[in-house]
Amino acid sequence: KKTKKSKSFLVASKMRIHKCYFCSSPMYPGHGITFVRNDCKVFRFCKSKCHNNFKLRRNPRRTRWTKAFRWSRKKELTNDNVLHFEKKRNIPIKYDREQMAKTIKAINRINQIKIARNNRYYDQRMKNNDRIKKVQALRLIRKNLHLVVAPVAVPGKGPKSFKRWRRAAIKHLHRRQKQGKLCLD
């Protein structure tokens, strides 16, 4: 008896990673929700949160947790040339081992460049953050300065009401500032 052996061919298929229509996060095969409109436009959503926001007709540029919001408010790089490498291309190419090796090396280098540029962009955005926080803290201290002084420290008879005590405490602090014993700037 002759047995027929079936030859199995391993076909290398490329895994396509789609972007969520609403939040622009990557979607792997078998994940998410696909919605096809009557005009055959395909919308892919990574989770039900994105799908429900789409059904509620919310604009991704006004929804704070989406990539579109971050791009529109200049929180992330938008016009970087490295981002153009991620564009989808439907051009079939013949397999070449050397070219694939060069491509993989290029992908690693592009990722390094991308990380460095994002870090530089973040540092530039946060450059004045310490100064702004200091100004806000000083403003808060000036506004609530009366809380720093104990009622016992205010000279004279103890004020009866809170408003009088606050006024007396602020006068006391201004006197101390004029004497040079207190610095508020």
Side-chain angles (χ1 to χ4, degrees), residues 96-108:
D96 182 16
R97 189 180 184 124
E98 290 177 23
Q99 186 179 8
M100 288 300 287
K102 286 180 183 176
T103 305
I104 290 170
K105 286 180 184 175
I107 288 171
N108 290 334

Side-chain angles (χ1 to χ4, degrees), residues 144-161:
N144 301 313
L145 202 53
H146 63 282
L147 298 175
V148 177
V149 179
V152 180
V154 179
K157 293 180 181 177
K160 302 289 183 197
S161 70

Side-chain angles (χ1 to χ4, degrees), residues 55-72:
K55 288 191 288 189
L56 290 170
R57 297 176 182 269
R58 290 201 176 130
N59 188 347
R61 282 173 296 200
R62 292 194 197 135
T63 310
R64 295 185 71 88
W65 49 269
T66 62
K67 281 271 192 197
F69 175 85
R70 294 186 64 77
W71 285 337
S72 66

Side-chain angles (χ1 to χ4, degrees), residues 57-127:
R57 297 176 182 269
R58 290 201 176 130
N59 188 347
R61 282 173 296 200
R62 292 194 197 135
T63 310
R64 295 185 71 88
W65 49 269
T66 62
K67 281 271 192 197
F69 175 85
R70 294 186 64 77
W71 285 337
S72 66
R73 302 297 161 99
K74 306 283 188 272
K75 304 247 179 237
E76 287 186 9
L77 286 172
T78 52
N79 57 353
D80 192 12
N81 292 334
V82 176
L83 297 172
H84 297 301
F85 291 117
E86 292 182 7
K87 285 185 180 174
K88 187 167 73 173
R89 293 176 186 87
N90 291 325
I91 303 165
I93 55 168
K94 193 173 181 182
Y95 178 76
D96 182 16
R97 189 180 184 124
E98 290 177 23
Q99 186 179 8
M100 288 300 287
K102 286 180 183 176
T103 305
I104 290 170
K105 286 180 184 175
I107 288 171
N108 290 334
R109 182 67 184 132
I110 288 167
N111 285 337
Q112 290 172 354
I113 292 169
K114 202 181 201 179
I115 289 168
R117 286 184 180 173
N118 281 336
N119 289 341
R120 221 176 305 130
Y121 186 73
Y122 178 82
D123 291 340
Q124 191 171 357
R125 244 185 49 224
M126 297 297 166
K127 184 171 48 179

